[in-house]
Amino acid sequence: MVKVEAENRNRIPFSQRLFWSIFAMFLGFTVCFLLFQYQREREFAQDKLNNVLGNYNYQLFRRTQQTNDINKVVNQFIEDIPQKDLRVTIIDPSGKVLFDNSGIEEFNNHNDRSEVRKARLYNEGFAIRSSGSTGKRYFYSATNIGGYIYRSSLPWDPYTQRVLTINKDFIYFMALMTLIFFFVLSRFTFSIGRTISKLRDFALNVENDRIPQNEYVFPNDELGDISKNIVTLYHRQRKAKDELSMEREKLIKHFQYAKEGFAMFTAEGREILSNILFVQFVNVISDNQIRQSEDVMEVKELEPIRLFLNKNIPNSNRKRKVLRESVTVDKNGKIFLIECILFLDNSYEISINDISRQEEESRMKRQLTQNVAHELKTPVSSIQGYLETIISNPELTDEKRQFFLERCYSQSTRLTGLLRDISVLNRLDEASEMFDLAEVNIPKLIGEIEKECSKDMEEKKISSEIILPGNPTIYGNYSLLYSIFRNLYDNTIAYAGEGIKITVNCYKEDPKYYYFSFSDNGVGISEEHINRIFERFYRVDKGRSRKVGGTGLGLSIVKNGVNFHKGQISAKSSPGKGMTFFFTLKKKI
Ligand code: ADP
């Protein structure tokens, strides 16, 4: 990694490489062009001078044909032309110099001179070289006229050199072009380079999982458009991925918190996903403990599921539907519903639901209905019996009639109480949101109850001690809070005995809850009843309860009332040692 980074640092940026390679190509091309053009220009200049001298050669030939005094003709000719230092040589077909005006007497054979050789081959030729005879440098131009070579030459002096100077404008032009190209190319590659380095920066961020925060701005060109598209595509894909993983997360959370055991497997039986309850439930069902969800198929209670999978997975048919199989297992006091769903790709899920509670609930509902019917039957049939007696015995004394009517009245009062309690419990069960909420001052509420119960308490010589430090006030439902304390008072008055003492104590308070205890030092109840007294229609002593007008619903209402106020209740008692209820109530629900 470190090495790669170091390499990255030493690397020439793409834009610079692009720039230098294009520029080098351009430069190479320009140099070639310059060389070519330079050569052409030189040839052009030399051709021009050669033409002038070639023309002189013809004129000299023509003039020498008219007279024998060549010397005079040549001097005359030089008079007429601007190049006063023109050297004229006439060579015969054998290479012998017939005439030369340079003043040299001795000449060797001239057929080996390069311009002469060219002229013999092509009728004309030129050369720039040092003279073999004079030792000076000349521009020679030779013309072959009927085997005789007429040769005009100019010494390599500043004049000749100026004539042969090539026009350098094209060099300046190319230099200017190169400069312009340099700037245009550098601007162009800089812009590409900027886009590419941005894109690279973006890619690096993506690779290192650093989600780029800053918005990338790309130039308004094709490369910019492509880059923008890449970034947009990335963001879109990232968003989709995030959403997907969030959904997955939710799903996994859902499974973890679900009340059912759940596991998903591949077609080969490898676990994809499972929650804690799955293995826990399988272990409740199985006689042998399993450690991981993948061992589920070894449990013999799940045999039907195993058979179902064995039958359907090998017969894989893409056109088949999603298949289901379910089995109910009654084991260790619990009832489980095990369901298997086989998907089209042969992966499958198994869910295990503990339906014991549902079963229990429906059993309790059935029992409750029976209880309600039974409870209603008693007062109704009593009332019916008394009324029948009155109707069928018209000769009854007023006293007796009054007695039966009073019995009827007390039974109907009991009936009303029963119906009221049932209705409160129903509302708590089905529509607890219907209870109004308000600030309820507990000391004030207990004061009212004490006032209402004072007559009964006096009769039974019941005293009370109220310890409510901090003036507890609850934001809750008045009538439910009233029912909680009222039922506890009524029960103590009804069952605890005479000459006893009630203690209401708010023994603790935390930021959210008040902790209450309600105790008496009366007869108490034996331990086996403690766990059941909060059940609906449960009574310790049925006969006694009915006699004192109890419905068997009082503590059930207390418990539900406490639960409505987000609290918990429990009871402690032993015969002869009184009864204590501990409960919490949330300050604000
Ligand atoms: P009931 O309508 O019969 O009073 P509850 O649900 O209020 O029904 O009470 C259930 C049973 O708990 C009563 O039948 C009674 O035997 C017993 N009980 C309740 N409170 C006390 C108490 N303070 N002392 C003794 N027994 C009690």
Side-chain angles (χ1 to χ4, degrees):
M1 189 66 196
V2 176
K3 202 175 158 215
V4 173
E5 262 174 27
E7 271 174 18
N8 282 355
R9 238 178 287 128
N10 295 336
R11 214 165 53 179
I12 303 165
F14 172 77
S15 58
Q16 279 192 33
R17 270 187 298 150
L18 185 70
F19 172 80
W20 285 116
S21 40
I22 296 179
F23 192 66
M25 254 161 62
F26 180 82
L27 225 56
F29 182 77
T30 309
V31 167
C32 287
F33 175 77
L34 280 177
L35 285 174
F36 173 77
Q37 191 61 19
Y38 181 81
Q39 192 64 26
R40 260 175 58 107
E41 289 283 334
R42 209 171 68 158
E43 278 172 12
F44 179 70
Q46 287 172 350
D47 275 352
K48 225 164 66 181
L49 187 59
N50 186 32
N51 282 344
V52 171
L53 295 186
N55 192 20
Y56 287 176
N57 289 340
Y58 276 109
Q59 284 190 38
L60 280 164
F61 164 73
R62 237 176 284 122
R63 290 194 191 186
T64 51
Q65 294 304 305
Q66 287 157 14
T67 172
N68 284 336
D69 192 353
I70 298 172
N71 218 4
K72 198 173 156 211
V73 168
V74 170
N75 286 339
Q76 185 69 49
F77 182 74
I78 291 172
E79 292 259 304
D80 298 345
I81 58 165
Q83 297 92 345
K84 301 296 174 211
D85 46 2
L86 185 79
R87 179 180 163 197
V88 178
T89 314
I90 302 169
I91 301 153
D92 78 355
S94 66
K96 189 171 163 230
V97 175
L98 298 180
F99 172 82
D100 188 89
N101 65 343
S102 65
I104 294 164
E105 302 290 315
E106 285 294 310
F107 290 98
N108 50 11
N109 192 303
H110 264 52
N111 272 351
D112 63 341
R113 301 297 197 268
S114 69
E115 72 281 0
V116 177
R117 274 208 316 269
K118 283 182 206 159
R120 295 229 181 270
L121 277 170
Y122 311 113
N123 279 342
E124 61 163 43
F126 73 87
I128 301 165
R129 59 176 180 81
S130 295
S131 163
S133 317
T134 64
K136 280 194 227 154
R137 197 171 167 75
Y138 285 97
F139 181 95
Y140 295 100
S141 173
T143 311
N144 185 354
I145 307 168
Y148 288 87
I149 303 291
Y150 281 76
R151 188 179 78 171
S152 299
S153 36
L154 284 172
W156 193 253
D157 59 5
Y159 168 77
T160 318
Q161 280 169 24
R162 205 171 53 248
V163 171
L164 287 177
T165 309
I166 52 172
N167 189 349
K168 293 201 183 65
D169 285 355
F170 73 96
I171 296 176
Y172 302 131
F173 175 74
M174 284 314 285
L176 186 69
M177 287 299 286
T178 309
L179 216 63
I180 292 171
F181 186 73
F182 183 91
F183 282 113
V184 171
L185 186 69
S186 66
R187 268 193 66 93
F188 171 68
T189 50
F190 177 70
S191 148
I192 291 183
R194 227 174 30 179
T195 309
I196 287 175
S197 68
K198 265 188 198 168
L199 213 54
R200 183 171 163 270
D201 177 51
F202 172 77
L204 268 177
N205 277 338
V206 170
E207 191 185 294
N208 297 335
D209 231 15
R210 288 194 303 256
I211 302 140
Q213 290 300 329
N214 50 330
E215 273 305 310
Y216 284 88
V217 182
F218 292 101
N220 191 16
D221 54 26
E222 282 88 341
L223 196 62
D225 287 348
I226 294 170
S227 311
K228 261 183 257 171
N229 281 342
I230 291 175
V231 174
T232 315
L233 276 175
Y234 167 77
H235 281 303
R236 217 177 283 162
Q237 187 236 13
R238 175 107 214 163
K239 202 172 147 226
K241 202 179 135 201
D242 283 352
E243 278 172 3
L244 210 68
S245 63
M246 213 147 85
E247 290 302 317
R248 197 186 130 86
E249 196 71 8
K250 270 196 241 166
L251 207 67
I252 291 172
K253 276 263 149 57
H254 168 79
F255 289 140
Q256 294 305 351
Y257 292 119
K259 290 200 166 57
E260 62 178 7
F262 179 89
M264 244 178 137
F265 300 93
T266 62
E268 295 76 32
R270 276 198 306 278
E271 180 197 296
I272 300 170
L273 188 88
S274 78
N275 67 1
I276 312 160
L277 272 182
F278 186 77
V279 174
Q280 201 173 310
F281 279 172
V282 174
N283 279 328
V284 175
I285 294 168
S286 163
D287 296 329
N288 312 317
Q289 196 176 344
I290 66 156
R291 288 175 156 276
Q292 49 190 22
S293 58
E294 290 176 10
D295 301 337
V296 68
M297 287 305 154
E298 292 163 17
V299 176
K300 74 170 190 308
E301 282 77 3
L302 269 77
E303 182 76 3
I305 303 279
R306 198 167 60 81
L307 291 175
F308 159 75
L309 291 174
N310 283 352
K311 190 179 135 212
N312 290 299
I313 289 182
N315 308 331
S316 185
N317 174 7
R318 288 264 149 202
K319 281 193 191 110
R320 74 159 162 77
K321 287 196 205 109
V322 173
L323 298 170
R324 272 169 185 276
E325 174 72 324
S326 61
V327 43
T328 313
V329 177
D330 190 345
K331 198 82 192 283
N332 298 326
K334 284 195 178 279
I335 303 162
F336 292 102
L337 175 71
I338 305 166
E339 273 198 303
C340 177
I341 300 176
L342 180 62
F343 297 104
L344 294 181
D345 63 351
N346 279 336
S347 65
Y348 56 92
E349 64 167 54
I350 298 178
S351 61
I352 307 178
N353 262 298
D354 179 0
I355 54 169
S356 338
R357 252 186 71 150
Q358 292 167 16
E359 289 279 302
E360 177 68 11
E361 268 172 17
S362 61
R363 191 186 63 77
M364 275 178 61
K365 273 215 173 103
R366 279 198 304 275
Q367 202 181 15
L368 201 68
T369 323
Q370 281 167 11
N371 283 342
V372 170
H374 179 73
E375 291 298 326
L376 290 175
K377 218 161 78 191
T378 326
V380 168
S381 56
S382 308
I383 293 169
Q384 214 174 3
Y386 294 132
L387 290 177
E388 255 174 36
T389 317
I390 296 169
I391 292 165
S392 54
N393 296 303
E395 71 284 359
L396 270 181
T397 61
D398 283 354
E399 212 175 293
K400 278 264 168 136
R401 186 173 291 130
Q402 181 66 20
F403 171 78
F404 286 127
L405 283 175
E406 273 173 17
R407 283 293 173 93
C408 271
Y409 179 73
S410 91
Q411 287 299 336
S412 71
T413 311
R414 202 164 110 74
L415 204 58
T416 314
L418 193 65
L419 291 173
R420 186 199 57 224
D421 284 355
I422 290 172
S423 133
V424 171
L425 282 170
N426 262 346
R427 272 175 66 198
L428 274 165
D429 281 348
E430 312 293 342
S432 57
E433 70 283 351
M434 302 275 280
F435 289 99
D436 301 331
L437 301 178
E439 294 276 343
V440 181
N441 183 262
I442 300 298
K444 216 171 124 196
L445 181 130
I446 289 179
E448 273 168 38
I449 294 174
E450 288 240 328
K451 221 191 286 166
E452 285 164 23
C453 298
S454 59
K455 211 171 132 244
D456 295 335
M457 285 169 72
E458 252 168 52
E459 254 173 42
K460 294 204 165 179
K461 300 187 182 60
I462 297 174
S463 62
S464 68
E465 187 184 1
I466 317 293
I467 311 159
L468 297 171
N471 193 26
T473 303
I474 286 167
Y475 185 77
N477 179 264
Y478 180 86
S479 65
L480 284 177
L481 288 168
Y482 177 88
S483 294
I484 293 170
F485 288 99
R486 181 64 199 248
N487 274 305
L488 293 174
Y489 264 90
D490 284 350
N491 280 350
T492 310
I493 296 166
Y495 307 110
E498 297 196 3
I500 54 147
K501 185 182 168 192
I502 292 175
T503 310
V504 183
N505 189 359
C506 178
Y507 64 95
K508 186 181 160 172
E509 176 189 349
D510 69 18
K512 285 187 176 169
Y513 288 94
Y514 288 116
Y515 296 70
F516 291 95
S517 69
F518 186 101
S519 56
D520 64 58
N521 53 355
V523 294
I525 55 170
S526 59
E527 226 167 275
E528 80 241 37
H529 299 295
I530 289 280
N531 288 334
R532 302 201 59 191
I533 51 172
F534 296 106
E535 281 176 24
R536 292 172 194 190
F537 299 115
Y538 186 81
R539 295 172 176 104
V540 175
D541 177 347
K542 286 197 177 85
R544 183 166 162 64
S545 166
R546 290 230 171 79
K547 223 163 81 199
V548 298
T551 58
L553 294 172
L555 286 180
S556 195
I557 291 177
V558 171
K559 185 179 175 183
N560 282 280
V562 169
N563 290 348
F564 177 85
H565 288 89
K566 307 267 184 320
Q568 297 290 336
I569 186 163
S570 48
K572 187 172 94 176
S573 180
S574 54
K577 294 214 171 130
M579 178 99 161
T580 306
F581 293 94
F582 295 100
F583 58 98
T584 48
L585 294 172
K586 201 169 180 200
K587 289 180 174 175
K588 188 170 166 47
I589 58 165

